[in-house]
Amino acid sequence: MARVLRTHPVDVLFAGLSRRARLFSQGWGDEQFLEEVAAAAPFQQRPPPIAPEWSAPRLQRGLQVRDGTFPSPLARLDAAARTAHVRWLSAGQGPSRGACVVLAASREEGFSLRERMYAPLAREGIDLFLLENPYYGLRRPVGQKGGALRTVSDHVLMNLGMVDEARALLAWLRSEGHARLGVAGYSMGGYMAALTAAVVPEPLAVAALAAGASPVPVFTQGLLSWSIAFALLDGPRRDAEQARSRLGRIFDLANLTRFPPPRQPEAAVLVACRRDGFVPGDETLALHAHWPRSELRWVDAGHVTALFTERAALCAAIRDALSRVDATT
């Protein structure tokens, strides 16, 4: 086990600045929906087939770029979020070395960060498909401030939408002849990529970057919890611990240890940050233990700084995961 060092100060600074935009400022949201989610078995049905509509390709920093849209398979999303937006980056020539759907991190709006981080992979011949999260960027509902979701039910809907849209896009890619497929993401994107891999029955590479087995400690104990006013979330009682406990129960429904490992766990690469103040290292270790034959790599960085200092390691995780998936199985 790699030794986890103390939290990186940049993580603490980022958390302090982010808390100004409170998560779940309008409470729990749709209580009936939250009850339905707790009683349901998610992802039992495949999402319906999609047919993305693509813009004409344009050349951008040596890459071919197309923007696409398709109706989200999750019709329950807010009206502003029902159209999925995806950006396709490719080398534009030569045979493809595979295709990877890359999901966004918490509060990450637009495509620019992921374009900068993973462009080297596209230049190597790996087609990248960057999905915009429901409720973010082009899909943000009126009245929502940035990526700070207004209610807990909005957040659950966003997560369900991320997985269903990734599944639908992967199915479309497979139907288009892409045999070697993967899904990846950083932080929340990495967690949702891991969940996607767990519920897709076909062979799939996965690079879960700065993510763990459960989102519960991230939202109830880590630095992200600074952005949640738990006493206000509880309503008139103002019992912060009751609200913290309930939020944990809701998010624990998506604990990855509740789901089977991916079909090819040997094509899974996990990356953890030794100085991460948002995602506990123990959670990444738990995911690694639950996914036998997966590979766990550590980088000496914080959750925020790894995005800038460890880009080569993050790209390598995606590249290596794709190289290991057995597309003939």
Side-chain angles (χ1 to χ4, degrees):
M1 171 181 170
R3 184 167 64 95
V4 179
L5 306 177
R6 62 185 178 86
T7 298
H8 198 290
V10 174
D11 282 6
V12 178
L13 176 62
F14 185 82
L17 295 173
S18 298
R19 70 191 303 175
R20 298 175 184 175
R22 291 287 187 184
L23 291 173
F24 318 140
S25 61
Q26 296 181 26
W28 299 102
D30 189 337
E31 291 282 5
Q32 181 180 345
F33 168 69
L34 292 176
E35 291 177 8
E36 292 173 3
V37 169
F43 313 121
Q44 294 298 304
Q45 302 294 323
R46 286 180 180 263
I50 62 170
E53 296 182 0
W54 297 102
S55 67
R58 64 185 184 276
L59 197 63
Q60 180 176 302
R61 296 175 184 171
L63 293 176
Q64 195 173 84
V65 180
R66 298 178 181 90
D67 288 323
T69 59
F70 60 89
S72 175
L74 189 62
R76 195 159 186 168
L77 292 170
D78 185 277
R82 287 181 199 150
T83 298
H85 291 261
V86 57
R87 179 159 293 178
W88 177 1
L89 307 181
S90 70
Q93 57 186 357
S96 171
R97 295 177 57 188
C100 187
V101 174
V102 186
L103 303 179
S106 179
R107 306 200 199 207
E108 182 192 342
E109 298 192 286
F111 306 107
S112 59
L113 176 61
R114 284 172 289 163
E115 284 182 300
R116 290 195 301 271
M117 287 180 63
Y118 305 118
L121 296 173
R123 294 190 178 97
E124 295 170 15
I126 297 172
D127 284 20
L128 300 179
F129 294 82
L130 316 179
L131 271 168
E132 177 99 273
N133 288 352
Y135 296 94
Y136 284 0
L138 295 168
R139 311 177 67 183
R140 187 197 304 171
V142 175
Q144 178 180 300
K145 297 181 180 179
L149 271 66
R150 297 169 296 184
T151 67
V152 174
S153 63
D154 280 354
H155 199 283
V156 175
L157 278 166
M158 176 182 69
N159 291 159
L160 293 175
M162 289 174 71
V163 174
D164 273 352
E165 290 164 15
R167 293 166 73 201
L169 187 54
L170 286 162
W172 177 79
L173 287 167
R174 203 174 294 276
S175 72
E176 291 290 302
H178 292 269
R180 191 176 298 279
L181 294 175
V183 61
Y186 191 89
S187 189
M188 181 181 71
Y191 174 79
M192 302 313 295
L195 183 54
T196 300
V199 299
V200 168
E202 292 82 14
L204 188 66
V206 57
L209 314 172
S214 172
V216 175
V218 177
F219 282 88
T220 63
Q221 301 168 24
L223 292 178
L224 185 64
S225 68
W226 291 8
S227 296
I228 304 172
F230 287 100
L232 295 177
L233 185 59
D234 189 55
R237 292 180 305 179
R238 295 294 193 269
D239 190 328
E241 290 313 306
Q242 285 289 336
R244 194 184 305 267
S245 178
R246 185 188 181 196
L247 188 67
R249 290 194 302 272
I250 291 171
F251 284 171
D252 192 55
L253 295 170
N255 190 320
L256 284 160
T257 61
R258 294 174 175 264
F259 297 84
R263 182 170 173 181
Q264 291 184 355
E266 63 274 15
V269 178
L270 317 179
V271 176
C273 304
R274 289 196 180 98
R275 305 186 66 183
D276 198 322
F278 289 86
V279 178
D282 287 347
E283 285 299 321
T284 313
L285 286 167
L287 180 58
H288 179 47
H290 184 58
W291 286 6
R293 303 187 305 282
S294 64
E295 181 185 356
L296 172 57
R297 301 175 180 179
W298 292 84
V299 295
D300 189 9
H303 194 83
V304 176
T305 56
L307 292 168
F308 306 97
T309 64
E310 302 295 337
R311 289 182 179 181
L314 302 178
C315 285
I318 297 174
R319 181 190 303 112
D320 294 346
L322 272 170
S323 72
R324 297 172 188 175
V325 68
D326 184 355
T328 63
T329 302

